[in-house]
């Protein structure tokens, strides 16, 4: 190979920079990665965003971390005194410090943290991080679930027994109506954006709920400009219209939801057989047989009623003799209907700003254009009422009857693979120590996640015990999470902190040891299924290493395996042999590692989608749903027992113009934020091709709001909230509500190649949006932070 005889390779690959995992073709010339373009033959390869197209700039950026480093000066000094060290010294130091903390204080005092796999390349390794953390014995792992994932993965576990919509993906290829709520796939998952455009071309209708006219909202049949944080009221209003006008699947409601089950008026509990007779079964619920005029039993173990389902009452009020006397009872669907009835279209318009007629038109479209495929994103999750919003939209979706139906939200099949997350490695005793479990028993901690606020509290206040160590991969807590000042105090107070990353970001600056990681283009990684369709799920691909790592950078997976061996966990990490680990993971699929290396475009395994799996029977017992009643639960006794509303009633944002009128005069505007299409959260502002397109942080505001404050396009302004203040450049946006402004988070990195400055993460010149929001007013169930619905004022910077 020489300049006279250049070699050029076109390598099938996929971009791992965000959750879209777009299929791509990489161009490598003379051993140098020079281009990435879409691969239309790949199920996610119809397009590639600008971030993927400029990936070579990421790989060859001059500020990349290239060697392990250790701190030689105290935290808080202007000069950290970073000193280059060997990998052996780095790994030995990390293993020694973590072992000392575990031996002296317990493994739970070491927390693990990584960037969200939805917005980074951490999807390559997050399951292995979980395995390492569980082998170590720590129950504490923050992956930003309270900010990115709670609503779509976990909140509706209580209603459907599975994550909706993320674990039941929208079947866009067959949908008649597509509902995007707080989701802009043009920015967040371009594979969904291209699939939606294709669906519209064949006649599918599109509904977008978003405070901003952004992305596919411009092509929507209905764009609902909802007031930030009022989404729950809109969902209940849509449900009201659907129920009131008979635009709902009565058969699904009657047969597959807990709508017919009777609720006691005296205590809000479900009426059960044992309430009527001492010999009655405690686990059996009761419904009302409206033909015979009597209560009939429902046995959840059998998934069946002691009556014809068509005779069950969905509406009404019934006085029933119990062992404690006469008790008024009503079906859960009656209570659901009464709740929704409080949100008629006019009331919804008053609360949300969406016109009453548009609420009715949207409800009719959801019914007439079925099947409905639904997707939501962090626009709904960064709210102080995130849980009830997700449940309310889940209620709307249940009314369509399209769950796990062709063209609806489908649990697509997955290629068989071994679970490598180490579920059995963490004892029940250690799981019980998960931070936040006592305070929020139904929140992320129940699902093996903790929030950053819970980690900060444990570090600084030693509640419920002290966290003393942190192992972090690719995260930037001080820019990506709220309450940044407290975060800085917490990271400074740690006994030991190791951070693995591409760049020395503000959070890495607080570490004791920093480890250099490869980009996804310098490392091999295994992807089993691409989630968005049957065809995508059938693909197994081993992403080829395109070029050799720069400096001494190692992949996250290599670091995990090396550290596991140093910590004495080699036996459960295949003695550090990643190939052996991959072979174990692949074994159930029948696909070998050698076959994947011979076929870099991937190998497909035969899959067959089965619909309405909840109706499948074994020994004449339907599978049902993984909920206490084995039905979709409109009414949740689980919530009731923990003191939360059992129905998804609307709750005003905790810091908003209606809930906090005392703040209205000083902070008259509603503050929300949105992801920038050019950047992955707090990453990539150092890449010239991206930074040229957006030089400075911006805040969008309506012309009327700007004029009232004598603000012009491009003016530097101050955004001020009760929590803090930051600066940004004004951008005028006529499509916004005059009371709403929209900022951007993630600004810190400089781009010296084009003279674009960096921004201090703290202080008067900061552009760190998350300085504006604290952890004081959060969702009571999940701890989700209201980054998308707060109050502010904007002033021109003089």
């Amino acid at each position: 190979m020489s300049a006279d005889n250049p070699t050029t390779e076109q390598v099938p690959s996929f971009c791992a920079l965000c959750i879209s995992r777009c299929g791509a073709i990489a161009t490598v010339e003379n051993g140098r990665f020079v281009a990435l373009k879409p691969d239309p033959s790949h199920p996610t390869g119809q397009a590639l965003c600008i971030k993927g197209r400029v990936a070579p700039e990421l790989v060859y950026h001059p500020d990349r971390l290239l060697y392990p480093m250790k701190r030689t000066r105290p935290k808080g000094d202007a000069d950290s005194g970073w000193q280059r060290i060997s990998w052996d010294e780095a790994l030995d130091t990390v293993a020694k410090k973590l072992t000392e903390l575990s031996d002296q204080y317990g493994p739970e005092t070491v927390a693990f943290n990584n960037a969200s796999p939805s917005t980074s390349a951490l999807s390559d390794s997050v399951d292995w991080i979980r395995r390492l953390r569980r082998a170590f014995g720590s129950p504490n792992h923050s992956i930003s679930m309270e900010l990115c994932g709670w609503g779509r993965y976990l909140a509706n576990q209580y209603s459907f027994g599975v994550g909706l919509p993320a674990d039941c993906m929208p079947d866009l290829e067959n949908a008649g109506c597509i509902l995007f709520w707080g989701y802009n796939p043009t920015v967040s998952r371009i594979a969904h954006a291209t699939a939606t455009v294709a669906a519209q071309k064949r006649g599918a209708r599109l509904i977008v709920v978003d405070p901003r006219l952004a992305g596919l909202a411009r092509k929507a049949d209905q764009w609902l400009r909802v007031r930030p944080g009022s989404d729950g009221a809109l969902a209940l209003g849509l449900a009201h219209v659907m129920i009131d006008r008979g635009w709902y699947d009565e058969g699904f409601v009657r047969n597959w939801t807990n709508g017919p089950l009777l609720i006691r008026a005296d205590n809000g509990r479900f009426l059960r057989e044992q309430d009527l007779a001492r010999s009655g079964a405690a686990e059996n619920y009761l419904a009302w047989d409206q033909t015979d005029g009597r209560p009939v039993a429902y046995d959840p173990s059998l998934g069946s009623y002691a009556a014809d389902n068509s005779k069950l009452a969905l509406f009404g009020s019934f006085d029933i003799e119990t062992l404690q006397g006469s008790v008024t009872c009503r079906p859960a669907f009656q209570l659901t209907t009464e709740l929704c009835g409080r949100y008629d279209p006019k009331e919804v318009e008053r609360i949300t700003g969406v016109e009453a007629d548009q609420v009715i038109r949207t409800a009719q479209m959801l019914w007439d254009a079925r099947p409905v495929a639904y997707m939501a994103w962090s626009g709904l999750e960064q709210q102080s009422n995130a849980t009830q919003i997700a449940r309310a939209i889940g209620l709307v979706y249940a009314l369509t009857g399209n769950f796990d139906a062709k063209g609806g939200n489908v649990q697509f099949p997955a290629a068989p693979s071994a679970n490598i997350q180490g579920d059995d490695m963490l004892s029940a005793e250690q799981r019980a120590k998960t931070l936040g479990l006592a305070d929020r028993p139904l929140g992320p901690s129940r699902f093996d996640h903790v929030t950053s606020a819970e980690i900060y509290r444990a570090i600084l206040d030693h509640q419920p015990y002290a966290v003393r160590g942190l192992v972090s991969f690719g995260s930037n807590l001080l820019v990506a999470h709220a309450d940044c000042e407290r975060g800085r105090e917490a990271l400074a107070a740690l006994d030991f902190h190791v951070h693995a990353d591409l760049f020395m970001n503000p959070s890495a600056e607080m570490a004791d040891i920093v480890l250099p990681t490869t980009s996804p283009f310098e490392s091999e990684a295994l992807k089993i299924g691409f989630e968005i369709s049957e065809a995508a799920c059938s693909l197994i691909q081993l992403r080829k290493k395109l070029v050799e790592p720069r400096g001494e950078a190692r992949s996250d997976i290599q670091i995990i395996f090396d550290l596991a061996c140093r910590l004495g966990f080699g036996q459960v990490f295949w003695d550090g042999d990643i190939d052996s680990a991959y072979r174990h993971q692949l074994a159930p699929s029948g696909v070998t590692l050698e076959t994947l290396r011979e076929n870099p475009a991937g190998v497909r395994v035969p899959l067959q989608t089965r619909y309405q799996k909840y109706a499948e029977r074994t020994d004449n017992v339907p599978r049902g749903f993984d909920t206490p009643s084995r039905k979709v639960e409109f009414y949740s006794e689980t919530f009731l027992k923990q003191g939360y509303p059992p129905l998804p009633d609307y709750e005003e944002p905790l810091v908003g113009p209606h809930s906090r009128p005392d703040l209205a005069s000083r902070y008259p505007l509603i503050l929300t934020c949105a992801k920038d299409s050019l950047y992955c959260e707090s990453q990539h502002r150092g890449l010239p091709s991206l930074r040229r397109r957006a030089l400075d942080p911006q805040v969008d505001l309506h012309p009327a709001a700007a004029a009232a404050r004598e603000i012009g396009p491009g003016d530097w302004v101050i955004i001020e909230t009760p929590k803090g203040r930051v600066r940004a450049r004004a951008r005028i946006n006529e499509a916004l509500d005059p009371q709403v402004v929209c900022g951007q988070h993630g600004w810190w990195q400089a781009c010296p190649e084009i003279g674009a400055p960096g921004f201090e993460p703290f202080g008067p010149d900061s552009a760190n949006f998350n300085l504006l929001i604290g952890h004081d007013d959060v969702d009571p169930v999940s701890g989700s932070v209201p980054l998308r619905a707060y109050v502010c004022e904007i002033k021109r910077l003089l």
Side-chain angles (χ1 to χ4, degrees), residues 539-782:
L539 184 65
I540 301 176
Q541 189 172 9
L542 185 72
R543 192 185 65 238
K544 184 178 179 180
K545 179 172 68 175
L546 300 177
V547 292
E548 290 301 313
R550 292 187 58 206
E552 295 180 5
R554 296 185 182 181
S555 71
D556 291 309
I557 297 174
Q558 186 66 63
I559 294 170
I560 292 162
F561 275 61
D562 290 344
L563 184 55
C565 291
R566 288 298 210 290
L567 288 166
F569 309 137
Q571 185 176 0
V572 293
F573 276 84
W574 293 268
D575 295 321
D577 186 345
I578 296 173
D579 278 5
S580 293
Y582 283 163
R583 289 190 177 94
H584 168 81
Q585 190 176 4
L586 285 166
S589 73
V591 177
T592 68
L593 194 60
E594 290 71 22
T595 299
L596 291 174
R597 289 203 169 113
E598 292 168 1
N599 297 274
V603 173
R604 296 180 185 271
V605 297
L607 297 176
Q608 182 64 51
T609 300
R610 306 187 328 271
Y611 299 105
Q612 297 178 329
K613 292 177 282 294
Y614 55 83
E616 294 177 347
R617 291 178 175 266
T618 301
D619 296 328
N620 205 33
V621 175
R623 174 177 171 178
F625 295 83
D626 190 15
T627 62
S629 65
R630 298 186 60 236
K631 305 285 188 180
V632 174
E633 299 208 337
F634 290 143
Y635 190 99
S636 175
E637 201 171 59
T638 301
F639 269 62
L640 181 73
K641 289 176 180 178
Q642 295 296 338
Y644 303 122
L647 288 167
D649 200 356
Y650 171 63
E651 300 167 348
E652 270 290 324
L654 292 177
V655 181
H658 301 292
S659 57
R660 293 294 306 274
D662 56 309
L663 298 175
S665 60
R666 185 174 178 184
Y667 306 104
L669 298 173
I670 298 171
L671 177 64
T672 190
C673 66
K675 180 180 177 181
D676 193 301
S677 62
L678 297 173
Y679 307 120
C680 286
E681 308 304 346
S682 67
Q683 308 165 67
H684 306 156
R685 285 166 178 81
L687 306 187
S689 292
L690 300 182
R691 190 64 178 270
R692 286 190 185 97
R693 297 166 183 253
L695 288 171
D696 299 306
Q698 295 179 320
V699 59
D700 287 9
L701 67 166
H702 189 271
R709 292 160 177 80
E710 299 181 339
I711 294 170
D715 284 351
W716 280 102
V717 298
I718 291 293
I719 310 170
E720 185 175 4
T721 72
K723 182 69 177 178
R725 51 187 286 160
V726 299
R727 63 186 181 123
R729 282 196 186 273
R731 183 167 62 184
I732 308 305
N733 185 339
E734 293 183 358
L736 279 179
D737 184 288
Q739 196 181 1
V740 173
V741 298
C742 182
Q744 301 169 348
H745 86 283
W747 286 87
W748 64 276
Q749 194 173 18
C751 188
E753 293 89 335
I754 63 170
F759 296 87
E760 290 296 323
F762 304 95
D765 293 326
S766 178
N768 183 356
F769 181 93
N770 286 349
L771 287 170
L772 299 173
I773 315 290
H775 281 137
D776 303 322
D777 300 286
V778 300
D779 183 280
V781 180
S782 65

